[in-house]
């Protein structure tokens, strides 16, 4: 038994390693003591020297803290400065004792005692006495201390003594380090000697162990080479196995080789099954016979008891699969004759294009035989694909579950069969077409005799037909070109229709907003002028001056609005006079500074004008129109910029930087005027929108900043007819840059009438102002009670101070107590504080932050304010506006400009009703 026992490779290798490890352990214990000595010396040098240095610095720090604390207290008299003094006084002695214990050199110990005496001397003679004197006296101690610098020499001496002490310690540390390096060198020499000895022993042991391993390994390699040299698998005996008698790891190698032979044998059997199936339908061209041979072969190879193949009907528009062949079909036809994708289990997996395996079937259609029917156990549904499309599906059943090798076999077989089946389908289609072609050829041959007699006539007709065909081809090409043109025209008409719809919408909004902008200053003028006329002798001079200033301001606003409308009217009229002349471009910066510096200073903005050095002095254009464009763009920049800066850069532009449509235009040169601001910016989706006529920003922004929205439309048209264009770069919340590109056109000097392309036609929508009439009962009531408004509290909600001023003056003359706020939020705040104070509310509709509609809705949502009368005041006088006011909570509606008598009548009616 002991003779047959083998020593494994691991045991052999471990024996060698064990011997080497024993030697290493011996060497380890041999040098460990020396390492301990070196480590102890190293720890002493690092720990002792570091601690001595740290303690010396700490003592010096505490002494300096005492000095700083004492000086701070003497200078300021604040007790907080004594905290570091007392802390240093407590701590330095403790650290000194620890340092003295660590120092073993007598000379160093003597130096430490000298330092200690000097510290105590300073504290006894300067530190504590001066603090005590400061506590008893005041400024005299401070002056004496600062003038004499008492104790400074002692502190300097202490610091120099510490420096000398640390230098000596550094020398001691260097000597210890040199001795430690000598010990380390000796230790390294010993380690090298031991390493060489261990290396020699390891080489000897590895040689001995490798010989015993290689001898056995060669025997196994020779056997594997015999198997590997076979090139013809048919001549290779795959049933051959390696017989092993060793008990080491070589046995595992042999077992792995035997497993390789087993896998090769299984793979060979798998390939043989595929070849048998392929050979069964080789050379068959009929789809029916091909499917019969395939389903029979695959069923036999996979030990199936039933099988069916369904082929797609390519002549049908639907994805219909028809049963083409079966294996072991029942006496009565088993299974359906056809199905569609997604119909039933087979249709579902055909749709998914994946093979599906079912095992351990409990309830399923029985497999028929001559003596009866047997229930199946396993089923496989496999779609057959060609170029990613399902062209057939097979379904096979077995009395047992299908193994993994059967599933792999079926999957490999159907990949190749898809190509064969598609080829057979194409071949049958070709044969069918060939048959039809032959039939047609025969018919044509019969007809050829008849046609022969007509050939001469047809020859003549053919010539005519050729001529006609040529004409038809020309007409066809013309029709195609016309069709393309019609489609393009249709697209353009659809775009124009969309633009007309948008134009109509924005025109309506424009007219409504323009109505409000015109009526607001007009309202103030009418009310104040009426007050002046009715009470000419009752107002004071100061009140009349205020009325006149408001009327003047309102008139200027009206004039500005009318100027914008007139500019737009000139463009709409289709004709505008352009006068080209020479202007000095050097004068432009001074002109802009004169017009806009005061605006920048008033708003606290930085205004810069940058002019390029390479710009010619003379520029040929319509100076008035160009300045109008620049003023409009700069006015917009200042209007929409609350903080930051505004700059205008004037530079020469080369043709390559122009838009393609303008690059080839005849001009002396081009200049770009870039107006850049840090204002509110413009959303990207509105960059094109703001240049179109009647299309303005949202109402809240317009109400906050004012304006009509016509400026950019006019600028765009002016620039276009001066031969240039305007571009925009903007980011919302960051700022905007408008750039005006204009050419210098010296060939157009003089006067020129230019026919302009009109903007989109303004839809004329008449605003029929509805006059609110009071019924007879209310009017009679007003006549009976002339002083019904006397002492009543009214709240005016309006963002326009001119309207507030005018209304306040008018209502106060009627004896009413007036309170005013600037927007809806302020209105809600004052009503929340005093809900029962006011008898009636006058509500403007268009306001920033919160408009009148939302404000009235919130008021009506408060149970305490549901009955308070609210009179809506707005310049939007359309019927829908009145209806919307009443729906959102208004009690009544008065349109601007206000008729004061009408307003007072409405107020009297609602105050009386209350």
């Amino acid at each position: 038994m002991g003779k047959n026992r083998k020593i494994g490779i691991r045991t052999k290798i471990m024996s060698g390693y064990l011997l080497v490890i024993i030697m290493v352990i011996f060497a380890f214990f041999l040098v460990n003591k020396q390492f301990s000595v070196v480590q102890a010396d190293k720890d002493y040098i690092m720990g002792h020297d570091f601690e001595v240095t740290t303690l010396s610095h700490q003592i010096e720090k505490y002494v300096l803290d005492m000095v700083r604390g004492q000086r701070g207290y003497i200078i300021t008299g604040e007790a907080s400065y004594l905290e570091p003094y007392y802390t240093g006084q407590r701590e330095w002695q403790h650290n000194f004792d620890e340092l003295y214990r660590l120092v073993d050199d007598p000379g160093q110990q003597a130096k430490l005692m000298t330092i200690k005496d000097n510290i105590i001397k300073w504290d006894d003679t300067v530190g504590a006495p001066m603090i005590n004197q400061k506590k008893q006296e005041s400024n005299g101690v401070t002056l004496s201390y600062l003038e004499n610098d008492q104790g400074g020499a002692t502190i300097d001496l202490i610091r120099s003594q510490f420096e000398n002490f640390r230098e000596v310690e550094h020398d001691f540390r260097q000597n210890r380090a040199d001795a430690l390096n000598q010990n380390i060198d000796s230790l390294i020499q010993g380690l090298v000697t031991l390493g060489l000895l261990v290396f020699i022993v390891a080489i000897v042991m590895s040689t001995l162990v490798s010989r015993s391993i290689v001898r056995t390994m060669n025997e196994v390699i020779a056997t594997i080479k015999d198997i590997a040299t076979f090139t013809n698998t048919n001549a290779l005996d795959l049933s051959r196995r390696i017989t092993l008698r060793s008990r080491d790891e070589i046995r595992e190698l042999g077992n792995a080789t035997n497993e390789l032979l087993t896998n090769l044998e299984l793979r060979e059997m798998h390939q043989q099954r595929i070849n048998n199936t392929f050979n069964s339908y080789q050379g068959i061209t009929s789809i029916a016979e091909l499917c019969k041979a395939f389903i029979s072969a695959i069923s036999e190879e996979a030990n199936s008891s039933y099988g069916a193949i369904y082929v797609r009907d390519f002549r049908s528009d639907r994805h219909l699969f028809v049963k083409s062949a079966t294996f072991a079909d029942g006496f009565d036809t088993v299974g359906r004759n056809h199905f569609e994708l997604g119909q039933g289990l087979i249709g579902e997996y055909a749709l998914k294009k994946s093979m599906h395996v079912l095992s351990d079937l409990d309830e399923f259609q029985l497999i028929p035989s001559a003596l009866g029917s047997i229930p199946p156990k396993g089923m496989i549904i496999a779609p057959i694909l060609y170029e990613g499309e399902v062209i057939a599906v097979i379904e096979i059943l077995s009395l047992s579950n299908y193994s993994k090798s059967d599933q792999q076999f079926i999957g490999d077989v159907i990949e190749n069969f898809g190509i064969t089946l598609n080829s057979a389908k194409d071949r049958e289609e070709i044969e069918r077409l060939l048959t039809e072609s032959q039939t047609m050829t025969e018919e044509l041959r019969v007809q050829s005799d008849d046609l022969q007699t007509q050939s001469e006539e047809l020859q003549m007709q053919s010539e005519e037909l050729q001529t006609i065909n040529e004409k038809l081809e020309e007409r066809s090409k013309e029709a195609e070109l016309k069709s393309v043109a019609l489609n393009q025209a249709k697209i353009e008409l659809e775009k124009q229709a969309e633009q007309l719809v948008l134009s109509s919408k924005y025109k309506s909004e424009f007219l409504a907003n323009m109505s409000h902008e015109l009526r607001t200053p007009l309202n103030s003028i009418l009310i104040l002028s009426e007050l002046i006329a009715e009470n000419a002798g009752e107002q004071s001079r100061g009140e009349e001056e205020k009325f006149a200033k408001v009327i003047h301001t309102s008139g200027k606003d009206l004039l500005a609005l009318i100027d914008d409308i007139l500019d737009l009217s000139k463009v709409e009229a289709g004709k505008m006079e352009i006068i080209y002349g020479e202007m000095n471009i050097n004068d432009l910066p001074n002109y802009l500074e004169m017009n806009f510096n005061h605006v920048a200073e008033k708003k606290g903005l930085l205004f810069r004008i940058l002019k390029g050095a390479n710009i010619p002095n003379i520029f040929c254009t319509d100076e008035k129109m160009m300045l109008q464009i620049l003023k409009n763009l700069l006015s917009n920049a200042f209007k929409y910029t609350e903080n930051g800066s505004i700059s205008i850069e004037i530079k020469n532009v080369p043709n390559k930087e122009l838009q393609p449509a303008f690059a080839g235009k005849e001009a002396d040169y081009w200049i770009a005027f870039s107006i850049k601001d840090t204002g509110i910016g413009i959303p990207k989706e509105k960059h094109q929108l703001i240049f179109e006529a009647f299309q303005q920003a949202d109402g809240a922004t317009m109400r906050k900043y004012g304006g009509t929205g016509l400026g950019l439309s006019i600028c765009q048209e002016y620039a276009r007819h001066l031969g240039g264009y305007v571009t925009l770069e903007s980011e919302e919340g960051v700022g905007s840059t408008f750039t005006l590109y204009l050419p210098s056109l010296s060939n157009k000097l003089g006067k020129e009438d230019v026919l302009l392309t009109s903007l989109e036609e303004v839809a004329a929508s008449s605003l029929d102002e509805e006059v609110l009439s009071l019924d007879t009962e209310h009017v009679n009531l007003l006549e009976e009670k002339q002083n019904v408004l006397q002492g009543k509290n009214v709240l005016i909600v309006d963002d326009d101070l001119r309207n507030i001023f005018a209304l306040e003056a008018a209502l106060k003359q009627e004896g009413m107590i007036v309170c005013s706020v600037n927007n809806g939020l302020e209105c809600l705040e004052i009503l929340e504080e005093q809900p029962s104070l006011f008898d009636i509310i006058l509500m403007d509709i268009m306001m920033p932050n919160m408009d009148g509609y939302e404000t009235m809705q919130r008021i009506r949502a408060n149970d305490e304010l549901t009955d308070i009368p609210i009179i809506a005041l707005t310049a939007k006088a359309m019927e829908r506006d009145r209806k919307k006011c009443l729906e959102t909570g208004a009690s009544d509606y008065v349109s601007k400009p206000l008729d004061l008598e009408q307003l007072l009548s409405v107020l009297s009616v609602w105050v009386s009703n209350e």
Side-chain angles (χ1 to χ4, degrees):
M1 188 72 179
K3 293 181 180 180
N4 295 329
R5 185 175 182 183
K6 301 292 182 180
I7 301 176
I9 295 175
R10 179 175 298 177
T11 304
K12 296 175 184 178
I13 296 175
M14 289 302 296
S15 299
Y17 280 142
L18 183 61
L19 179 60
V20 174
I21 291 172
I22 291 173
M23 296 186 66
V24 171
I25 293 174
F26 173 77
F28 171 79
F29 282 109
L30 188 64
V31 300
N32 182 56
K33 182 177 180 181
Q34 190 65 26
F35 264 121
S36 300
V37 173
V38 172
Q39 185 65 35
D41 293 340
K42 177 183 175 183
D43 293 341
Y44 177 81
I45 292 173
M46 295 181 64
H48 173 270
D49 294 342
F50 176 78
E51 191 171 1
V52 167
T53 303
T54 301
L55 288 172
S56 66
H57 281 293
Q58 193 67 30
I59 295 170
E60 186 176 357
K61 174 183 175 299
Y62 283 131
V63 172
L64 293 177
D65 287 346
M66 292 169 61
V67 173
R68 284 192 292 269
Q70 180 229 28
R71 290 176 63 86
Y73 175 73
I74 292 174
I75 294 171
T76 63
E78 293 182 6
S80 61
Y81 283 94
L82 292 179
E83 183 176 350
Y85 172 83
Y86 290 130
T87 301
Q89 195 178 42
R90 291 193 304 269
E91 296 296 330
W92 80 266
Q93 184 66 48
H94 171 73
N95 290 340
F96 182 90
D97 294 339
E98 183 66 20
L99 177 62
Y100 190 86
R101 181 184 64 79
L102 291 174
V103 175
D104 52 5
D105 183 71
Q108 290 291 86
Q109 289 179 346
K111 291 179 180 179
L112 288 177
M113 292 306 298
T114 303
I115 292 172
K116 179 179 180 181
D117 294 337
N118 288 331
I119 295 173
I120 295 173
K121 174 182 176 182
W122 178 85
D123 192 28
D124 292 340
T125 59
V126 179
M130 293 302 296
I131 291 172
N132 293 333
Q133 291 182 24
K134 179 63 178 179
K135 290 180 179 180
Q136 296 175 2
E137 302 175 8
S138 58
N139 296 331
V141 175
T142 302
L143 295 174
S144 175
Y145 180 82
L146 295 175
E147 291 174 356
N148 299 329
D149 188 24
Q150 300 178 11
T154 304
I155 295 303
D156 293 339
L157 179 61
I158 293 172
R159 295 175 68 178
S160 64
Q161 289 174 343
F162 267 120
E163 289 293 329
N164 179 261
F165 172 80
R166 283 192 287 268
E167 289 176 358
V168 174
E169 283 296 321
H170 179 270
D171 295 335
F172 288 160
R173 180 168 66 252
Q174 188 63 41
N175 294 335
R176 296 189 190 102
D178 295 337
L180 179 61
N181 290 333
Q182 293 178 359
N183 293 336
I184 292 174
D185 293 337
S186 300
L187 180 60
I188 291 173
Q189 293 176 359
L191 287 176
V192 171
T193 303
L194 287 175
L196 291 174
L197 179 61
V198 171
F199 176 76
I200 294 171
V201 173
I203 291 295
V204 173
M205 290 299 301
S206 63
T207 302
L208 296 176
V209 172
S210 63
R211 284 181 180 178
S212 63
I213 295 173
V214 170
R215 187 183 299 112
T216 306
M217 184 74 73
N218 288 335
E219 297 177 1
V220 177
I221 293 173
T223 304
I224 296 175
K225 281 184 177 181
D226 292 339
I227 299 173
T229 53
F230 283 95
T231 58
N232 186 0
T233 56
N234 294 327
L236 178 62
D237 183 9
L238 295 177
S239 62
R240 175 183 177 182
R241 298 292 183 269
I242 300 175
T243 303
L244 298 171
R245 296 183 179 85
S246 64
R247 297 178 180 274
D248 55 12
E249 287 78 5
I250 302 301
R251 175 181 291 276
E252 298 179 3
L253 180 61
N255 291 334
T257 305
N258 289 335
E259 290 180 5
L260 175 62
L261 291 172
T262 302
N263 291 334
L264 289 174
E265 184 177 11
L266 294 175
R267 189 176 301 172
E268 178 66 20
M269 293 173 61
H270 177 75
Q271 188 61 41
Q272 186 62 39
R273 295 169 71 185
I274 294 175
N275 293 338
N276 293 338
T277 305
F278 177 75
N279 293 332
S280 66
Y281 60 79
Q282 187 71 21
I284 301 175
T285 58
S286 172
I287 292 180
E289 295 177 2
L290 180 65
C291 291
K292 180 63 179 177
F294 176 74
I295 195 64
S296 299
I298 196 173
S299 298
E300 291 175 358
E301 292 294 337
N303 297 321
S304 300
S305 301
Y306 173 79
I309 180 169
Y310 294 83
V311 180
R312 179 179 173 183
D313 184 2
F314 290 94
R315 292 172 296 179
S316 174
D317 294 336
R318 303 181 301 171
H319 288 76
L320 181 66
F321 291 82
V322 180
K323 184 161 64 176
S324 180
T326 61
F327 173 76
D329 198 352
F331 300 103
D332 299 325
T333 301
V334 179
R336 63 180 66 181
N337 291 323
H338 58 81
F339 68 88
E340 295 183 14
L341 281 181
Q343 185 178 21
L345 191 62
I346 186 171
E348 183 64 27
Y349 287 102
L351 181 63
K352 293 181 178 179
K353 300 179 182 180
S354 60
M355 187 175 72
H356 185 63
V357 181
L358 294 176
S359 304
D360 298 324
L361 300 175
D362 294 331
E363 297 180 1
F364 200 78
Q365 174 180 300
L366 302 179
I367 299 175
S369 68
L371 300 178
S373 298
I374 308 171
K377 280 289 185 181
M379 180 177 72
I380 291 180
I381 299 173
I384 300 172
L385 306 178
Y386 177 76
E387 294 184 351
E389 292 294 329
V390 179
I391 61 174
V393 184
I394 64 168
E395 181 176 0
I396 56 176
L397 299 173
S398 176
L399 298 177
S400 60
N401 292 327
Y402 287 101
S403 64
K404 293 292 184 181
S405 61
D406 292 334
Q407 298 174 25
Q408 181 64 34
F409 160 69
I410 294 171
D412 293 342
V413 166
I414 62 176
E415 288 182 2
N416 294 326
F417 185 70
I419 300 174
T420 304
L421 181 59
N422 186 73
S423 299
K425 175 185 73 68
D426 293 342
R427 189 179 297 107
E428 282 194 354
E429 182 67 17
I430 292 172
E431 291 177 354
R432 184 184 66 82
L433 294 175
L434 180 60
T435 302
E436 292 179 358
S437 176
Q438 290 174 348
T439 303
M440 294 175 64
T441 302
E442 182 65 23
E443 293 176 355
L444 289 173
R445 188 184 64 79
V446 174
Q447 294 174 0
S448 65
D449 296 335
D450 297 334
L451 293 175
Q452 187 67 31
T453 59
Q454 302 174 3
S455 60
E456 295 179 359
E457 297 178 1
L458 290 175
Q459 182 67 28
M460 296 177 63
Q461 293 177 2
S462 65
E463 294 177 358
E464 295 177 358
L465 288 174
Q466 184 176 359
T467 304
I468 294 173
N469 286 335
E470 292 177 356
K471 293 181 179 180
L472 288 175
E473 288 179 0
E474 293 179 359
R475 292 181 181 178
S476 177
K477 292 180 179 178
E478 292 177 358
E480 289 178 359
L481 294 175
K482 290 180 179 179
S483 177
V484 172
L486 287 174
N487 288 333
Q488 185 65 30
K490 180 182 178 183
I491 294 172
E492 292 179 357
L493 286 174
E494 290 176 352
K495 290 182 178 179
Q496 290 178 3
E498 294 176 358
Q499 292 295 327
L500 285 175
V501 172
L502 289 175
S503 178
S504 177
K505 174 186 174 183
Y506 289 119
K507 286 173 184 177
S508 299
E509 292 183 1
F510 167 78
L511 290 175
N513 293 332
M514 185 57 66
S515 172
H516 179 271
E517 295 296 333
L518 291 171
R519 289 167 182 262
T520 296
L522 183 60
N523 180 60
S524 301
I525 292 173
L526 293 177
I527 292 177
L528 293 175
S529 61
E530 185 176 355
L531 289 175
I532 293 174
E534 292 180 354
N535 303 287
E538 298 180 6
Q539 287 103 349
S540 64
R541 178 65 176 175
E543 288 180 342
E544 289 181 351
E545 289 180 354
K546 289 181 180 179
F547 290 172
K549 288 180 180 179
V550 173
I551 291 172
H552 178 70
T553 302
S554 301
K556 288 180 64 178
D557 291 344
L558 272 177
L559 181 60
L561 291 172
I562 292 170
D563 287 341
D564 283 345
I565 296 172
L566 288 176
D567 287 340
L568 181 62
S569 299
K570 291 180 182 179
V571 178
E572 284 292 329
K575 199 169 186 180
M576 178 177 288
E577 187 178 59
I578 299 177
I579 301 176
Y580 284 92
E582 294 181 351
M583 64 170 292
N584 191 342
I585 206 70
N586 292 329
D587 296 336
L588 182 60
N590 294 332
Y591 175 82
L592 296 177
E593 285 181 357
M594 182 176 63
N595 281 274
F596 290 98
N597 262 351
H598 66 283
V599 180
E601 293 174 358
K602 184 177 180 180
K603 298 192 69 173
L605 301 174
L606 177 62
F607 180 45
R608 296 178 298 175
I609 302 175
L610 309 175
K611 178 179 174 294
N614 59 342
I615 301 176
N617 294 335
I618 303 302
F619 186 66
C620 298
T621 188
D622 187 321
E623 182 178 1
K624 180 180 179 182
M625 194 173 292
M626 186 198 78
L627 293 178
Q628 182 64 39
I629 298 172
L630 295 179
K631 286 193 291 184
N632 283 358
L633 295 177
L634 282 171
S635 296
N636 279 351
F638 280 101
K639 183 189 301 182
Y640 297 113
T641 303
E642 299 293 339
N643 50 61
S645 65
I646 295 173
S647 64
I648 175 170
E649 181 181 4
I650 308 170
K651 62 180 181 179
N652 205 339
V653 183
N655 285 343
K656 63 181 180 180
E657 296 182 9
L658 298 174
Q659 292 182 355
F662 295 88
K665 187 174 180 179
E666 183 180 355
D668 302 333
Y669 56 89
W670 286 78
I671 291 182
F673 305 87
S674 297
I675 291 90
K676 183 176 182 181
D677 64 65
T678 58
I680 61 176
I682 301 168
K684 189 173 183 179
E685 64 272 12
K686 293 187 178 181
H687 282 193
Q688 184 62 31
L689 189 69
I690 62 172
F691 285 106
E692 298 181 9
F694 311 113
Q695 301 187 13
Q696 307 169 3
D698 57 273
T701 302
M702 188 175 61
R703 288 293 294 163
K704 180 176 181 180
Y705 295 99
T708 63
L710 297 176
L712 291 178
S713 300
I714 295 173
C715 287
Q716 183 80 317
E717 287 298 317
Y718 279 7
R720 185 165 63 88
H721 295 290
L722 288 177
Y725 59 97
V726 179
T727 63
L728 167 62
E729 295 178 5
S730 181
E731 182 179 350
E732 188 172 11
V734 177
S736 306
T737 301
F738 287 87
T739 303
L740 169 65
Y741 294 88
L742 288 180
S744 177
L745 303 174
S746 58
N747 59 341
K748 291 190 177 182
L749 292 178
K751 182 175 180 180
E752 181 180 344
D753 290 332
V754 178
L755 184 64
L756 299 182
T757 301
S758 62
L759 299 172
E760 289 83 350
E761 184 179 357
V762 181
S765 55
S766 61
L767 303 178
D768 297 329
E769 182 176 352
E770 181 178 302
V771 180
L772 298 177
S773 60
L774 302 175
D775 54 48
T776 307
E777 181 180 352
H778 288 167
V779 173
N780 294 334
L781 178 63
L782 178 63
E783 292 175 352
E784 294 175 0
K785 298 183 178 181
Q786 293 293 335
N787 295 326
V788 70
L789 300 179
Q790 183 72 30
K792 298 295 184 179
N793 288 280
V794 60
L795 175 62
I796 301 174
V797 185
D798 198 320
D799 63 319
D800 195 308
L801 296 178
R802 297 169 299 186
N803 286 346
I804 293 176
F805 180 76
L807 287 172
E808 282 185 352
L811 297 179
K812 285 180 179 179
Q813 287 188 359
E814 298 298 324
M816 299 190 75
I817 302 173
V818 182
C819 179
S820 61
V821 293
N822 294 324
N823 53 58
L825 293 176
E826 294 181 5
C827 172
L828 295 177
E829 291 177 1
I830 194 170
L831 289 176
E832 184 177 356
E833 295 174 358
Q834 304 179 60
S836 59
L837 175 62
F838 300 103
D839 300 296
I840 195 167
I841 299 174
L842 296 180
M843 180 70 65
D844 185 29
I845 297 301
M846 295 183 66
M847 295 183 292
N849 301 325
M850 181 185 293
D851 60 19
Y853 296 128
E854 184 178 355
T855 306
M856 290 188 292
Q857 287 177 336
R858 294 199 181 185
I859 292 174
R860 293 310 185 200
N862 189 337
D863 295 337
E864 298 182 8
L865 301 173
T866 55
D867 296 330
I868 186 171
I870 302 177
I871 308 301
L873 307 178
T874 180
K876 290 190 174 183
M878 306 296 286
E879 173 62 26
R880 61 178 180 272
D881 299 320
R882 179 180 184 277
K883 183 177 180 182
K884 185 175 181 180
C885 289
L886 298 178
E887 289 176 351
T888 53
S891 305
D892 211 332
Y893 173 96
V894 177
S895 63
K896 297 179 181 178
L898 299 177
D899 186 324
L900 187 58
E901 182 178 353
Q902 178 190 1
L903 176 62
L904 295 176
S905 300
V906 173
L907 289 173
S908 300
V909 169
W910 285 102
V911 170
S912 300
N913 288 343
E914 187 182 9

